Amino acid sequence: MIKLILTTFILTIITIQGYAQKHCDIKANYEDFIFVGKSAYNEKDYLIKKVIETNKKSCFSNLVNNNPIFIDYLLTNFSSNANYQNLLELTDSIAIRNKYFDDLRKDSLFNSVMADLVNRTIDENILKDTISMDELLNVAVKYFSIIRLTDEGHFVGKVCVGLNEIKKTESVRNPFIEAFSFSSILKHYQSEDYSMYDEFVKAIEELYKVNLGIDKNEKLLRAQGAMFLIMRNNENLKKMLKSEYGKQKDYLPFILICD
């Protein structure tokens, strides 16, 4: 009886220790991989905030260093800018950092996104979601934006972290699918293997083969919709996303089902 009780007690300790090792407090260590500072351009001050690789060995270092662009997308699109002007008014760099990170730790949306990421990857307390290639492509194509028409009637395209079609087309946001799509496209925007820039140019050239309208605004809207469909069927985009998923899957909070 004593032996049984002792064994149970040992197992309980092991279970508790094992659980304790599955808690990565990334929120307390934002300073290790987020840079914030003030810069001037044309006599105007700007606040710079970006994710950088961390030299600190920690539970989250591999997650961040594997794809800092992924984390930077989350910071750019899912954290508040309400304190932007207040931070610009500060002159001391240390004061800017202290105020910025104090506010960031109070940012409910960003902290929720980061906690969910950690729970699905590092801590593995929550099962990863499963998505299809169709679901991934639905988001990925939204980063190939036709932003305007020139006076000569030429289409102007852009791939941008902030200027894209996500907000206009997705009523329910998926931060991780967005971050993976954008970071993958950006990494291969001019790569030898996939060159999303070349694929984008080819898609724009396809737009000129159809008269999309006389009214400038209507033409622009039709062009953007056509761009979604052209890139949706782009085999190089699909191959690139599959390849990037294979490289990053250990640090991604979802499982991609490829047909």
PDB file of all heavy atoms in Angstrom, residues 159-171:
ATOM      1  N   VAL A 159       2.501  44.437 -53.650  1.00  0.00           N
ATOM      2  CA  VAL A 159       2.392  43.457 -52.570  1.00  0.00           C
ATOM      3  C   VAL A 159       2.844  44.158 -51.304  1.00  0.00           C
ATOM      4  O   VAL A 159       3.986  44.618 -51.215  1.00  0.00           O
ATOM      5  CB  VAL A 159       3.275  42.216 -52.844  1.00  0.00           C
ATOM      6  CG1 VAL A 159       3.312  41.313 -51.616  1.00  0.00           C
ATOM      7  CG2 VAL A 159       2.752  41.447 -54.053  1.00  0.00           C
ATOM      8  N   CYS A 160       1.951  44.277 -50.328  1.00  0.00           N
ATOM      9  CA  CYS A 160       2.251  45.108 -49.145  1.00  0.00           C
ATOM     10  C   CYS A 160       1.647  44.488 -47.891  1.00  0.00           C
ATOM     11  O   CYS A 160       0.562  43.904 -47.930  1.00  0.00           O
ATOM     12  CB  CYS A 160       1.702  46.520 -49.364  1.00  0.00           C
ATOM     13  SG  CYS A 160       2.014  47.659 -48.011  1.00  0.00           S
ATOM     14  N   VAL A 161       2.365  44.661 -46.768  1.00  0.00           N
ATOM     15  CA  VAL A 161       1.903  44.106 -45.495  1.00  0.00           C
ATOM     16  C   VAL A 161       0.636  44.784 -45.000  1.00  0.00           C
ATOM     17  O   VAL A 161      -0.225  44.154 -44.376  1.00  0.00           O
ATOM     18  CB  VAL A 161       3.019  44.212 -44.425  1.00  0.00           C
ATOM     19  CG1 VAL A 161       3.347  45.669 -44.130  1.00  0.00           C
ATOM     20  CG2 VAL A 161       2.643  43.473 -43.153  1.00  0.00           C
ATOM     21  N   GLY A 162       0.497  46.070 -45.277  1.00  0.00           N
ATOM     22  CA  GLY A 162      -0.671  46.802 -44.790  1.00  0.00           C
ATOM     23  C   GLY A 162      -1.680  47.121 -45.862  1.00  0.00           C
ATOM     24  O   GLY A 162      -2.890  47.105 -45.622  1.00  0.00           O
ATOM     25  N   LEU A 163      -1.182  47.409 -47.078  1.00  0.00           N
ATOM     26  CA  LEU A 163      -2.058  47.762 -48.183  1.00  0.00           C
ATOM     27  C   LEU A 163      -2.380  46.518 -48.996  1.00  0.00           C
ATOM     28  O   LEU A 163      -1.641  46.123 -49.893  1.00  0.00           O
ATOM     29  CB  LEU A 163      -1.394  48.823 -49.075  1.00  0.00           C
ATOM     30  CG  LEU A 163      -2.232  49.377 -50.230  1.00  0.00           C
ATOM     31  CD1 LEU A 163      -3.469  50.090 -49.707  1.00  0.00           C
ATOM     32  CD2 LEU A 163      -1.380  50.311 -51.083  1.00  0.00           C
ATOM     33  N   ASN A 164      -3.492  45.868 -48.679  1.00  0.00           N
ATOM     34  CA  ASN A 164      -3.911  44.651 -49.372  1.00  0.00           C
ATOM     35  C   ASN A 164      -5.436  44.566 -49.308  1.00  0.00           C
ATOM     36  O   ASN A 164      -6.093  45.456 -48.786  1.00  0.00           O
ATOM     37  CB  ASN A 164      -3.243  43.413 -48.767  1.00  0.00           C
ATOM     38  CG  ASN A 164      -3.450  43.314 -47.263  1.00  0.00           C
ATOM     39  OD1 ASN A 164      -4.566  43.156 -46.789  1.00  0.00           O
ATOM     40  ND2 ASN A 164      -2.368  43.440 -46.510  1.00  0.00           N
ATOM     41  N   GLU A 165      -5.969  43.466 -49.845  1.00  0.00           N
ATOM     42  CA  GLU A 165      -7.426  43.353 -49.968  1.00  0.00           C
ATOM     43  C   GLU A 165      -8.078  42.513 -48.869  1.00  0.00           C
ATOM     44  O   GLU A 165      -9.248  42.153 -48.963  1.00  0.00           O
ATOM     45  CB  GLU A 165      -7.767  42.754 -51.338  1.00  0.00           C
ATOM     46  CG  GLU A 165      -7.180  43.513 -52.514  1.00  0.00           C
ATOM     47  CD  GLU A 165      -7.600  44.976 -52.547  1.00  0.00           C
ATOM     48  OE1 GLU A 165      -8.794  45.251 -52.297  1.00  0.00           O
ATOM     49  OE2 GLU A 165      -6.741  45.836 -52.811  1.00  0.00           O
ATOM     50  N   ILE A 166      -7.334  42.170 -47.830  1.00  0.00           N
ATOM     51  CA  ILE A 166      -7.855  41.305 -46.770  1.00  0.00           C
ATOM     52  C   ILE A 166      -9.050  41.931 -46.060  1.00  0.00           C
ATOM     53  O   ILE A 166     -10.117  41.324 -45.916  1.00  0.00           O
ATOM     54  CB  ILE A 166      -6.749  40.961 -45.751  1.00  0.00           C
ATOM     55  CG1 ILE A 166      -5.633  40.148 -46.416  1.00  0.00           C
ATOM     56  CG2 ILE A 166      -7.337  40.202 -44.567  1.00  0.00           C
ATOM     57  CD1 ILE A 166      -6.048  38.772 -46.863  1.00  0.00           C
ATOM     58  N   LYS A 167      -8.897  43.155 -45.585  1.00  0.00           N
ATOM     59  CA  LYS A 167      -9.964  43.806 -44.809  1.00  0.00           C
ATOM     60  C   LYS A 167     -11.241  43.984 -45.625  1.00  0.00           C
ATOM     61  O   LYS A 167     -12.342  43.969 -45.063  1.00  0.00           O
ATOM     62  CB  LYS A 167      -9.480  45.159 -44.290  1.00  0.00           C
ATOM     63  CG  LYS A 167      -8.393  45.073 -43.235  1.00  0.00           C
ATOM     64  CD  LYS A 167      -7.987  46.460 -42.762  1.00  0.00           C
ATOM     65  CE  LYS A 167      -6.895  46.385 -41.706  1.00  0.00           C
ATOM     66  NZ  LYS A 167      -6.466  47.731 -41.247  1.00  0.00           N
ATOM     67  N   LYS A 168     -11.098  44.152 -46.925  1.00  0.00           N
ATOM     68  CA  LYS A 168     -12.256  44.397 -47.779  1.00  0.00           C
ATOM     69  C   LYS A 168     -12.991  43.110 -48.175  1.00  0.00           C
ATOM     70  O   LYS A 168     -14.125  43.172 -48.642  1.00  0.00           O
ATOM     71  CB  LYS A 168     -11.821  45.128 -49.053  1.00  0.00           C
ATOM     72  CG  LYS A 168     -11.252  46.505 -48.817  1.00  0.00           C
ATOM     73  CD  LYS A 168     -10.806  47.129 -50.134  1.00  0.00           C
ATOM     74  CE  LYS A 168     -10.184  48.496 -49.922  1.00  0.00           C
ATOM     75  NZ  LYS A 168      -9.695  49.088 -51.203  1.00  0.00           N
ATOM     76  N   THR A 169     -12.344  41.970 -47.996  1.00  0.00           N
ATOM     77  CA  THR A 169     -12.932  40.717 -48.494  1.00  0.00           C
ATOM     78  C   THR A 169     -13.158  39.653 -47.431  1.00  0.00           C
ATOM     79  O   THR A 169     -13.940  38.726 -47.650  1.00  0.00           O
ATOM     80  CB  THR A 169     -12.039  40.107 -49.598  1.00  0.00           C
ATOM     81  OG1 THR A 169     -10.728  39.854 -49.060  1.00  0.00           O
ATOM     82  CG2 THR A 169     -11.918  41.048 -50.789  1.00  0.00           C
ATOM     83  N   GLU A 170     -12.489  39.757 -46.281  1.00  0.00           N
ATOM     84  CA  GLU A 170     -12.599  38.720 -45.256  1.00  0.00           C
ATOM     85  C   GLU A 170     -13.327  39.257 -44.026  1.00  0.00           C
ATOM     86  O   GLU A 170     -12.786  40.084 -43.289  1.00  0.00           O
ATOM     87  CB  GLU A 170     -11.210  38.203 -44.861  1.00  0.00           C
ATOM     88  CG  GLU A 170     -10.427  37.561 -45.993  1.00  0.00           C
ATOM     89  CD  GLU A 170     -11.115  36.332 -46.552  1.00  0.00           C
ATOM     90  OE1 GLU A 170     -11.610  35.509 -45.749  1.00  0.00           O
ATOM     91  OE2 GLU A 170     -11.176  36.193 -47.788  1.00  0.00           O
ATOM     92  N   SER A 171     -14.551  38.804 -43.799  1.00  0.00           N
ATOM     93  CA  SER A 171     -15.323  39.262 -42.631  1.00  0.00           C
ATOM     94  C   SER A 171     -14.775  38.668 -41.338  1.00  0.00           C
ATOM     95  O   SER A 171     -14.893  39.256 -40.260  1.00  0.00           O
ATOM     96  CB  SER A 171     -16.802  38.883 -42.791  1.00  0.00           C
ATOM     97  OG  SER A 171     -16.958  37.484 -42.948  1.00  0.00           O
TER      98      SER A 171
END
